[in-house]
Amino acid sequence: MHLTALVPPPFADDMIQDKQIVSKISGFDMMTWGELRTYERNDLKEENNRDVTKLKNAIVNDGFTTPFFIWSNHRYVLDGTGRCLALEELESEGFVVPELPVIHIDADNKEAAKRIVLMISSQHGVITQESLDRFIEDIDAIGIDDFINLPGLDYGMPELPDDDDDDLLDDFESAEEDEDAIITCPHCGKDFEYNPR
């Protein structure tokens, strides 16, 4: 069996030899939207193929929760292009955009800055349907699909049963007489509160 040694990228040589982790975060700041929107944005994701509706919903309902990462001492957004697009649309709809948090990231040059963009955008773990189900089992998932985008995963309400599966419909019909009833979905096993009022 032939093993290939890991070859570190050239920028990491010193860090690996000294076995030191270097923080590239050089500061945290607040920036006006007027200034931030003039920054060059990374174009890793196609801008004309982006739907920021869910991101807008999340910002309106939960507030602005994720800072922008910007290349320190340069006018370049490492991470936050989608948030910029969402904020532009919200502003055009009459929303007032406050000062926003930015984190300054050091990079020696644009090549290093682009490597950081790739690292930020990388997914280093896999979300499976089972891990998602476990994660959201103790939160109200109704309407969650208005805020998040996890392609290929089901995080909304269970689909209505086929015509030949009348168990769930029978449960709902019998529950109409109760003020508050708990219905168990035969497909996913989750309990739902049913209140016909």
Side-chain angles (χ1 to χ4, degrees), residues 28-94:
F28 168 81
D29 209 350
M30 297 296 284
M31 187 176 286
T32 66
W33 172 233
E35 181 182 4
L36 185 60
R37 72 177 158 204
T38 65
Y39 275 43
E40 178 187 357
R41 303 167 191 172
N42 84 69
D43 57 358
L44 178 61
K45 297 174 185 172
E46 290 287 340
E47 192 169 308
N48 57 355
N49 289 330
R50 293 179 80 152
D51 180 3
V52 294
T53 304
K54 292 183 180 191
L55 187 50
K56 287 167 54 181
N57 288 339
I59 292 170
V60 168
N61 286 281
D62 295 320
F64 195 85
T65 59
T66 309
F68 289 93
F69 291 163
I70 60 174
W71 181 10
S72 189
N73 299 318
H74 294 79
R75 300 178 61 80
Y76 186 73
V77 176
L78 298 169
D79 183 57
T81 299
R83 276 163 276 156
C84 284
L85 296 171
L87 289 171
E88 284 173 349
E89 288 189 18
L90 288 170
E91 186 178 45
S92 73
E93 294 167 13

Side-chain angles (χ1 to χ4, degrees), residues 167-186 189-197:
D167 294 344
L168 186 59
L169 294 176
D170 290 343
D171 287 345
F172 274 107
E173 288 170 2
S174 64
E176 287 180 353
E177 300 163 6
D178 298 335
E179 287 193 8
D180 291 304
I182 302 297
I183 306 295
T184 302
C185 177
K190 292 185 180 178
D191 292 333
F192 298 93
E193 185 175 310
Y194 176 75
N195 186 331
R197 286 178 272 156

Side-chain angles (χ1 to χ4, degrees), residues 11 15 22-28 68-74 76 78 102-117 119-120:
F11 67 93
M15 289 185 282
V22 176
S23 173
K24 293 289 187 174
I25 299 171
S26 60
F28 168 81
F68 289 93
F69 291 163
I70 60 174
W71 181 10
S72 189
N73 299 318
H74 294 79
Y76 186 73
L78 298 169
V102 296
I103 295 176
H104 301 272
I105 304 290
D106 286 332
D108 293 335
N109 50 45
K110 196 160 190 177
E111 180 186 350
K114 286 189 171 188
R115 274 199 302 265
I116 291 169
V117 171
M119 184 180 65
I120 291 169

